[in-house]
Amino acid sequence: MDLFVALDAGTGSGKAFVFDASGRQLAYAAEPWSYTVRDDPELPSVKHFSFDPQAFWEALCRCVQRALEQCGRKPAEVAGVAVTSQREACVFLDRSGQEIYAGPNLDARGFREGLEVLSELGAECLYAITGHSAPFIFPLARYLWQRKQGGPQVAHLLMMNDWLTWRLSGVLVSEPSNATESMLFDFRTRQWSETILERFAIPRHILPEVVPSGARVGAVQREAAQRSGLREGTPVFAGGADTQCALLGAGCIEEGDVGVTLGTTTPLQWVAARPTLDPQSQLWAGCHVMHNRWVLESNAGDTGDAYAWLVRLLAGSDGEEARRALDDEAERCSKSDVLMFIGPAIFDLSRIALQRPGGILFPFPTLHVRPSAAELMRGFYESLAFALRANLEQLERVWQRPPARIVASGGMARNRLLLRILASVLGRPVAVCRQAQSAALGVALLMMSEGKDQALQSLARIVPQHELWAPDEEGTGRYEARYHTWRRLHEQLFDMTI
């Protein structure tokens, strides 16, 4: 039986999944990882994040070994391996193939260089080419920062999934969905932007060849086989950006589908049949892993991390048992008067307010009555649902119509209380992908189809399974006024500093 190994290099952990040819998950192994963080000496709000590339590679190899052992299958049965990863993360190699920089999607060391990009090229031109704005965390700005440092020259600039594909196969390639996140890529033509390369004197040869997502690019080489337990010669395929792979794994391939990936952050991507920009330049545009599809994105920002922080604060641990106990309490709490501003937000990179406050608001305790842990937890779920509604409305503003359907996936899509609240706040049904880790399933579908559009469309319509969550009429009415209050307060916080 053919097996497919999907690697997922996420923000908080590395994961390996084994799927069979029907898209059924047979095994899963994960290992948390962390970053080196240091303050910028001149800009206290700016953080430099980096990771140890060898440590990350070895963690993923251990995950592959454990996943194969878990399902009791032989490496010879693996028909392919491919990688999805966090977006904006990148790795620079020198001429000898040594990593000289490795940074996650959180790294803002290129903040000053991002300002230079805006000055040199202009925000309007940058957005028209790349579909992205606010260049401060993108590989373009980090490359310009690295070039100023001296030391070894950058011979190869790779997105994180491209780097791991190279580690597996020794082949240097990129694919459109994550190349879009480099700010060096023309999302309309699906090629590296000559305009940007020329303007910033970036040599074309440091960027890899662009191939379609799902294309077979090489085979597992000996060193990678020895470390991971995969068979030498196992086919290696091009993967994609985690959010776009999650769209595919959730079956979001038709024009007007909206995928909501409830993870560390929560992007909302509208599937489009043509490249489309936001006239107000607030939203991101990019490439789907489907060859004839694009995306327009809003994003609720810090969601999964904010949730874990709140659980730790309330329960002293963010383990599964602590989460379940808090959720049980929140389920029994029929309503909450708490409005939260501790993570979920409305996406708008045309204005950045680093010093705006967050907070937890509730009726003034005149009678010394304050909210319980259950009310705080429920208030957080409501704030997340309010943020998702506001971001969805931004997408609807561009398209002037509601989405064809809304599909949720990701780790928090297993939270039944959140799903009930979300459907009621949105006032429309939400289809929830039964495979919560839909990015990994998307990678498996790319391999099964070898990136061929017709086969990929067929698989994406058949394999993903969904559970439909309908809005509760009473809840929809109750949340309407609270949503508008939350949105008004969210706007007012932009004008405040602490």
Side-chain angles (χ1 to χ4, degrees):
M1 183 191 296
D2 286 344
L3 304 179
F4 298 92
V5 173
L7 303 184
D8 184 351
T11 302
S13 65
K15 310 179 193 76
F17 299 80
V18 180
F19 293 91
D20 67 16
S22 71
R24 182 167 60 101
Q25 182 182 309
L26 303 179
Y28 158 70
E31 191 167 316
W33 51 35
S34 59
Y35 307 103
T36 300
V37 186
R38 66 183 183 87
D39 294 332
D40 188 293
E42 297 173 9
L43 297 169
S45 297
V46 172
K47 305 293 182 186
H48 295 202
F49 286 78
S50 60
F51 64 85
D52 180 337
Q54 188 62 26
F56 273 34
W57 166 242
E58 290 175 358
L60 280 170
C61 287
R62 288 191 294 271
C63 288
V64 174
Q65 291 173 358
R66 291 202 302 274
L68 289 173
E69 290 168 3
Q70 190 183 117
C71 64
R73 310 304 284 272
K74 297 176 182 178
E77 296 180 80
V78 177
V81 58
V83 185
T84 184
S85 76
Q86 53 178 276
R87 300 179 295 167
E88 293 94 43
C90 61
V91 177
F92 304 155
L93 308 179
D94 66 15
R95 289 175 183 169
S96 70
Q98 182 66 38
E99 292 91 350
I100 54 178
Y101 163 79
N105 51 11
L106 305 165
D107 187 23
R109 70 185 61 210
F111 186 85
R112 295 173 190 78
E113 288 70 27
L115 294 174
E116 292 169 13
V117 168
L118 291 174
S119 175
E120 277 286 313
L121 194 61
E124 188 175 337
C125 181
L126 186 68
Y127 186 60
I129 295 170
T130 68
H132 287 64
S133 57
F136 312 114
I137 63 167
F138 288 91
L140 168 59
R142 289 187 243 170
Y143 171 79
L144 297 177
W145 178 91
Q146 181 73 24
R147 192 164 66 181
K148 292 177 182 178
Q149 308 310 306
Q153 287 190 337
V154 175
H156 303 288
L157 188 159
L158 302 174
M159 302 306 288
M160 192 173 190
N161 60 314
D162 304 335
W163 164 66
L164 289 164
T165 299
W166 170 75
R167 277 281 198 159
L168 285 164
S169 66
V171 178
L172 295 162
V173 292
S174 192
E175 54 71 43
S177 68
N178 215 10
T180 308
E181 307 299 322
S182 68
M183 208 164 255
L184 295 157
F185 196 74
D186 188 327
F187 87 107
R188 298 173 188 272
T189 64
R190 296 187 178 228
Q191 294 295 328
W192 302 113
S193 167
E194 295 298 334
T195 299
I196 292 175
L197 298 184
E198 289 175 11
R199 181 65 61 93
F200 298 103
I202 299 172
R204 172 65 183 80
H205 65 77
I206 73 171
L207 297 169
E209 174 192 1
V210 179
V211 301
S213 302
R216 181 171 173 173
V217 299
V220 172
Q221 55 189 348
R222 180 172 299 174
E223 189 271 343
Q226 290 170 345
R227 287 192 176 277
S228 67
L230 292 165
R231 176 180 54 85
E232 185 179 355
T234 300
V236 177
F237 297 84
D242 55 3
T243 305
Q244 284 89 323
C245 285
L247 278 186
L248 177 63
C252 290
I253 62 168
E254 307 295 348
E255 184 175 16
D257 284 350
V258 170
V260 179
T261 309
L262 289 153
T264 304
T265 62
T266 298
L268 298 85
Q269 290 190 331
W270 184 298
V271 179
R274 64 187 187 280
T276 304
L277 291 170
D278 174 15
Q280 296 182 18
S281 303
Q282 292 177 350
L283 308 178
W284 281 349
C287 300
H288 201 306
V289 288
M290 297 284 297
H291 310 154
N292 60 350
R293 292 288 186 265
W294 284 260
V295 297
L296 188 67
E297 177 180 339
S298 196
N299 198 309
D302 181 4
T303 51
D305 269 358
Y307 168 68
W309 171 81
L310 183 63
V311 173
R312 284 195 302 272
L313 197 67
L314 296 176
S317 162
D318 64 350
E320 192 62 37
E321 190 175 332
R323 294 179 189 219
R324 196 180 302 115
L326 272 174
D327 280 344
D328 287 346
E329 287 182 44
E331 285 262 18
R332 291 190 291 271
C333 172
S334 59
K335 63 185 280 292
S336 172
D337 291 324
V338 176
L339 289 171
M340 289 245 187
F341 303 90
I342 62 168
I346 304 173
F347 191 65
D348 182 1
L349 290 179
S350 66
R351 55 177 188 168
I352 298 175
L354 296 176
Q355 300 300 319
R356 77 180 189 273
I360 300 174
L361 301 179
F362 51 90
F364 188 81
T366 305
L367 300 177
H368 307 285
V369 177
R370 293 173 175 83
S372 65
E375 290 173 295
L376 290 171
M377 202 72 246
R378 192 178 187 98
F380 176 80
Y381 291 141
E382 291 177 1
S383 75
L384 176 49
F386 295 153
L388 291 176
R389 175 172 166 176
N391 283 288
L392 181 61
E393 287 171 354
Q394 292 196 134
L395 291 168
E396 291 174 327
R397 167 180 55 76
V398 175
W399 295 101
Q400 296 293 300
R401 66 178 188 271
R405 63 174 181 158
I406 302 168
V407 183
S409 63
M412 291 189 73
R414 292 172 294 188
N415 189 302
R416 303 180 73 81
L417 175 58
L418 171 60
L419 295 174
R420 279 204 301 277
I421 292 171
L422 177 59
S424 294
V425 168
L426 296 180
R428 64 188 84 189
V430 177
V432 179
C433 191
R434 293 187 188 277
Q435 170 63 37
Q437 301 286 351
S438 62
L441 178 56
V443 174
L445 296 181
L446 286 170
M447 289 187 276
M448 292 176 202
S449 66
E450 296 192 11
K452 294 173 183 171
D453 265 352
Q454 198 166 6
L456 194 54
Q457 287 176 12
S458 178
L459 286 166
R461 289 177 181 135
I462 295 169
V463 175
Q465 302 295 310
H466 303 93
E467 180 182 5
L468 196 66
W469 288 76
D472 171 73
E473 251 181 71
E474 183 182 343
T476 297
R478 185 172 68 247
Y479 286 128
E480 190 65 22
R482 282 178 58 74
Y483 165 67
H484 290 291
T485 300
W486 181 91
R487 184 150 192 180
R488 185 179 71 251
L489 290 168
H490 181 281
E491 185 67 22
Q492 290 173 348
L493 290 174
F494 267 94
D495 299 324
M496 299 171 62
T497 59
I498 56 172

